[in-house]
Amino acid sequence: GERPPPLLKRQAPARRSGCGSVQPVSENQEKEGYKIMTDTMKAVKIEGPKVLKVENAPVPQADGEKVLVKVTTVGICGSDLRRWREGPSAGFALTDNAGGDAERTSFRAECTSFRIIPGHEVAGTVLEVGPAVRDWAPGDELALAPDVHCGDCYFCRLGRFNLCDNLRAVGITPGYPGGLAERMALTGEILTNG
């Protein structure tokens, strides 16, 4: 079928030159498929309570059923602020009503080794798609649905995805990096169940 027109004007891809400056690739170079990709990107990582670091991170790959997205917009919401205040233990919120302070402290200590890239309110442009991807193409624009449900539990089978027993969140759950980075890879699981 026909794809709807993009909501945002597409910008020419950029290439790096010199000391981190960015220069646009000319239209002729773009038509010839000219791209310069670097192996690293800038990303924000939460390292501990009230500790954020901007650092170089590997650019994720669009392999298998993944889509590589150039992040154009990221919102900061209360969940991001909570992760910043409390540190990167994504599971900590799940124990808030169980066991009291000793259990929360112990659980948090176990989880603080996870460093996460926050940001789950994300919009961007598809740069590359993996060989198994059929529904997305380079140039497509998307907004991310960050809550990833399992599709198998009792609540998912009822269509109550927000109550999923195995709910994960992009930019909050370890292993699901968020959009406070130049690029992010979205897995088939995120694209299908997000």
Side-chain angles (χ1 to χ4, degrees), residues 37-113:
M37 296 295 285
T38 61
D39 295 324
T40 62
M41 63 179 181
K42 294 290 183 195
V44 172
K45 292 190 178 178
I46 298 176
E47 294 201 329
K50 299 184 181 180
V51 179
L52 291 177
K53 287 194 177 176
V54 177
E55 59 185 52
N56 288 323
V59 174
Q61 301 299 307
D63 52 11
E65 54 182 35
K66 291 181 184 173
V67 171
L68 182 65
V69 175
K70 175 185 178 183
V71 176
T72 55
T73 307
V74 180
I76 304 291
C77 84
S79 300
D80 297 309
L81 294 175
R82 183 175 186 182
R83 288 285 61 83
W84 171 75
R85 257 192 332 270
E86 296 177 1
S89 55
F92 182 55
L94 300 176
T95 65
D96 263 354
N97 296 321
D101 291 337
E103 182 176 336
R104 285 196 300 270
T105 303
S106 146
F107 182 79
R108 184 173 179 173
E110 291 172 18
C111 292
T112 55
S113 61

Side-chain angles (χ1 to χ4, degrees), residues 143-156:
L144 178 65
D147 294 333
V148 183
H149 61 273
C150 73
D152 294 324
C153 72
Y154 172 79
F155 292 109
C156 284

Side-chain angles (χ1 to χ4, degrees), residues 2 4 8-10 24-25 41 60 64 71 75 79 90 102 135 153 155 162 167 175 192:
E2 278 186 40
L8 304 171
K9 185 175 179 183
R10 188 167 174 233
V25 174
M41 63 179 181
V71 176
S79 300
D135 297 330
C153 72
F155 292 109
N162 62 314
L167 191 66
T192 303

Side-chain angles (χ1 to χ4, degrees), residues 9-41:
K9 185 175 179 183
R10 188 167 174 233
Q11 296 177 344
R15 62 182 170 95
R16 298 221 176 259
S17 74
C19 300
S21 63
V22 176
Q23 298 176 349
V25 174
S26 73
E27 286 185 35
N28 288 338
Q29 290 170 323
E30 185 178 8
K31 286 177 189 171
E32 296 168 9
Y34 182 86
K35 285 185 188 177
I36 295 180
M37 296 295 285
T38 61
D39 295 324
T40 62
M41 63 179 181

